Amino acid sequence: MLRISFALAVVLSIAVLPWDLRHLGTEEGWRSAWGRTGSFLSGFASPDLSSRTLTLAAELTAETLAIAVLGVSLALLLAYPLAVLASDAVLDDGAGRGRSRSRIRTVVREVFRFLLDAMRGVPDFAWALVLLTIFGPTALTAVLAIAVNAAGILGKIFSELWDGVPRAHRDVLRSAGASRWQVLIYGTQPLAGRAMLSFLLMRFECTVRNASVIGAVCGGGLGAAVLQEIGYDNKARGVTFLGAALLLTVAVDFASNALRRLVRQERNTTIQAARLRRRIAGFGVASAIGASLFLIRRPILELGTELRRLDLRYLREHYGQLLVPDLSGQALGDALQGVTVPLALGVLSTLIACGLAVVFAWLGSATFQLRAHEFAPERTPGILRLGRTAVVVVSRVVSAILRGLPEVAWVWILALFFLTGVEAALGALLLHSAGVLARVFTESVDNVPYRRLEHIGAPSRASAFVHGAVPLVRLEWRTYAMFQFESNVRAGVVLGIVGVGGLGFLFRSALAHGSMGRASTFLLTMVLLTVVIDRISRRIQRGPRC
């Protein structure tokens, strides 16, 4: 039944998307498309490496990183208390003091869970459009937009990780007289801490990618510079800034991987060594936050002046309308039609990306390319081992590049060939998703113990991969795929904001024309879309394992 549903979703997705390849229907159109693409790619062969451009690229890269650091830091401050109020494990005091207290806890929990859904359901690009009028086109607007969206994501994950801690661990502390907060601090938090840190690092990687392009909406960082240079047809400088964004995201990717390894190794270190590492890490985080505040100090220092210039009455009356959605048939019909684009893009891009990620998992797996002799009856001569090592390195570098460029940046590149439309959006989503899923799929395969592969008795490493590793990691892959699908739908909304169409485009148009009621309807639709996908995803994960 599940496979039939997926097949039907694919067919419907292909049918509802507004494909438009008319500009490629003639020989002249093909030459023009390849000419635009080739002209841009030639910029990679001769980027602008002048001292002035490199200095500016370094400054914009530092500003982009500062936006990401401050955005995640502020998101963490917001997410933690919201997660507390959305978590069963924290709200439940174990006392069972009557039905009325239980109902109050249920109401509080559901209210804050919906608040977290609303915060993460509205993409950071949409938050940037809302905040742009208040704070202006500055780096501070990007920080706040990223912080609100990331807080919703972190709060949801933190509360679920706390709820996943076995109740028995909490009951032991309660029986000793511990309060609700003591149970959280000394019982629940330590057990969920490693997973929380791992997800925080992953979210920071995503935030760096978003920070590198969000400037296209609200100014600041590399995003605004890349879009400006591409718009002015200055490809040499555009390629330089795009390369800086790629180097930044790849560097953060590798740095977070190194931190994950340190966290895993901490289990085998002494208490004194672990404490020293934590102090060093704390000092490093504090230094990064301080440096980030210094880098974007100007919009922060000017915040008071800008706020005093605002007409608070106008803002209250104007943006207060965002709380009152337009429920007319026209607005609801437009919202329903707008949802089809990000949903269809999410379905198709995730499906294709999963197929590519499986190929990357095979090519980039150290287990199957370099250590197959541990579980399969084969010998690897020196020259063959060297070739396989090259395959592993190349596949991992390619996947890092694919996920290193955000979806918006891929759209800018692909639009040179396809023009701005669903074709460029689909390509952008599937390329970025393939890079993201390739990493987690490969890690899942490499984490399979050799003895479990050896017990299968496969005659070759390919057979061991298909009949041994894939069945063992299939459920884990499905979890990653469902999470990526939700991310791709949100990214589809973002791509609509930058001109692809669909729900994001409708929201930006309504906001630009002052139709706040319609804008509110589209915002609410984004939230409901996220909630529905989340609930369906949970249902699939709990459903029959087929």
Side-chain angles (χ1 to χ4, degrees):
M1 185 63 183
L2 188 60
R3 294 176 181 175
I4 296 176
S5 300
F6 282 151
L8 182 60
V10 169
V11 172
L12 290 175
S13 298
I14 295 174
V16 301
L17 283 176
W19 306 100
D20 185 7
L21 295 173
R22 288 173 296 178
H23 63 285
L24 297 177
T26 63
E27 183 178 349
E28 182 182 353
W30 274 99
R31 285 201 302 267
S32 178
W34 281 115
R36 292 190 302 269
T37 306
S39 176
F40 177 78
L41 293 178
S42 66
F44 285 94
S46 56
D48 185 349
L49 300 180
S50 64
S51 58
R52 181 180 179 183
T53 299
L54 292 178
T55 300
L56 180 58
E59 293 174 353
L60 293 173
T61 301
E63 184 179 21
T64 299
L65 185 59
I67 290 171
V69 169
L70 294 179
V72 170
S73 300
L74 185 55
L76 190 59
L77 291 177
L78 292 171
Y80 207 90
L82 292 175
V84 166
L85 294 169
S87 170
D88 275 327
V90 179
L91 292 177
D92 181 17
D93 57 7
R97 298 175 182 174
R99 187 173 299 176
S100 61
R101 293 288 295 272
S102 177
R103 288 176 178 173
I104 292 174
R105 287 197 298 268
T106 300
V107 170
V108 171
R109 181 194 65 208
E110 293 303 320
V111 166
F112 281 93
R113 284 185 179 181
F114 182 78
L115 177 59
L116 290 172
D117 287 336
M119 294 169 69
R120 71 189 177 91
V122 178
D124 43 19
F125 271 61
W127 284 118
L129 288 175
V130 174
L131 297 171
L132 189 62
T133 304
I134 302 174
F135 300 101
T138 67
L140 183 59
T141 302
V143 169
L144 296 175
I146 286 173
V148 175
N149 179 259
I153 297 172
L154 293 176
K156 172 186 181 292
I157 297 299
F158 288 179
S159 65
E160 290 180 354
L161 290 174
W162 289 337
D163 290 344
V165 173
R167 185 185 181 92
H169 292 281
R170 305 194 298 269
D171 290 341
V172 170
L173 289 175
R174 290 195 185 103
S175 64
S179 66
R180 181 186 287 112
W181 304 111
Q182 289 172 325
V183 170
L184 172 63
I185 295 171
Y186 299 109
T188 307
Q189 175 65 45
L191 294 175
R194 292 184 187 276
M196 291 172 65
L197 179 59
S198 179
F199 188 84
L200 180 63
L201 289 173
M202 186 180 74
R203 193 64 239 166
F204 179 67
E205 296 171 34
C206 297
T207 301
V208 171
R209 289 194 290 267
N210 292 352
S212 65
V213 293
I214 199 172
V217 172
C218 56
L222 289 163
V226 172
L227 189 61
Q228 177 178 313
E229 298 302 332
I230 291 178
Y232 288 150
D233 201 31
N234 192 349
K235 297 180 179 62
R237 279 171 65 90
V239 163
T240 301
F241 295 142
L242 194 61
L246 178 59
L247 288 175
L248 174 62
T249 54
V250 171
V252 170
D253 190 330
F254 284 112
S256 66
N257 281 338
L259 286 175
R260 286 190 183 91
R261 285 194 293 270
L262 286 176
V263 171
R264 287 196 294 266
Q265 293 171 1
E266 191 175 284
R267 300 177 181 178
N268 302 320
T269 60
T270 63
I271 295 177
Q272 292 79 5
R275 287 177 178 173
L276 179 60
R277 284 185 178 182
R278 290 171 187 169
R279 289 174 182 172
I280 294 174
F283 177 76
V285 170
S287 301
I289 294 174
S292 300
L293 288 170
F294 178 78
L295 285 171
I296 65 168
R297 62 191 181 279
R298 183 173 179 179
I300 295 176
L301 293 174
E302 294 176 352
L303 178 61
T305 303
E306 292 297 326
L307 290 178
R308 283 193 293 270
R309 293 176 181 174
L310 292 175
D311 186 344
L312 297 181
R313 181 179 178 182
Y314 167 77
L315 287 176
R316 184 170 59 251
E317 294 177 353
H318 189 63
Y319 282 100
Q321 298 177 46
L322 285 175
L323 302 176
V324 186
D326 180 357
L327 300 180
S328 66
Q330 179 67 39
L332 293 177
D334 289 344
L336 185 60
Q337 186 176 1
V339 161
T340 60
V341 173
L343 266 179
L345 288 174
V347 169
L348 295 178
S349 63
T350 305
L351 179 66
I352 300 173
C354 283
L356 292 174
V358 172
V359 176
F360 276 113
W362 163 254
L363 297 176
S365 169
T367 296
F368 285 92
Q369 297 298 334
L370 305 179
R371 305 189 186 98
H373 61 277
E374 298 282 351
F375 52 85
E378 72 167 26
R379 294 182 179 180
T380 309
I383 187 65
L384 181 58
R385 183 176 178 82
L386 184 62
R388 290 182 181 176
T389 301
V391 168
V392 171
V393 172
V394 170
S395 64
R396 293 192 176 190
V397 169
V398 170
S399 66
I401 292 174
L402 291 179
R403 66 177 177 268
L405 283 178
E407 300 92 340
V408 176
W410 278 117
V411 164
W412 293 339
I413 296 172
L414 295 176
L416 294 171
F417 186 85
F418 293 105
L419 303 182
T420 302
V422 296
E423 297 82 10
L426 178 60
L429 288 173
L430 73 88
L431 289 176
H432 179 77
S433 300
V436 173
L437 292 176
R439 172 178 159 181
V440 293
F441 279 21
T442 304
E443 289 177 354
S444 299
V445 169
D446 284 343
N447 286 335
V448 175
Y450 296 152
R451 63 179 182 275
R452 300 195 66 179
L453 298 173
E454 188 177 11
H455 288 164
I456 296 171
S460 66
R461 62 192 180 100
S463 179
F465 179 81
V466 174
H467 301 292
V470 172
L472 291 173
V473 301
R474 179 170 55 90
L475 298 181
E476 190 174 348
W477 282 4
R478 189 169 74 179
T479 300
Y480 289 133
M482 291 304 301
F483 185 82
Q484 190 60 39
F485 169 67
E486 182 181 337
S487 299
N488 284 346
V489 172
R490 285 200 300 270
V493 175
V494 169
L495 297 184
I497 292 175
V498 297
V500 168
L503 191 60
F505 178 77
L506 291 173
F507 169 72
R508 182 167 192 170
S509 298
L511 206 61
H513 291 90
S515 302
M516 305 307 288
R518 285 174 57 82
S520 176
T521 302
F522 302 140
L523 275 180
L524 182 60
T525 305
M526 293 178 199
V527 175
L528 293 177
L529 181 61
T530 299
V531 172
V532 170
I533 292 174
D534 176 68
R535 302 305 184 263
I536 293 176
S537 175
R538 289 171 186 259
R539 175 65 179 173
I540 290 175
Q541 297 305 318
R542 290 197 303 265
R545 302 301 192 184
C546 58

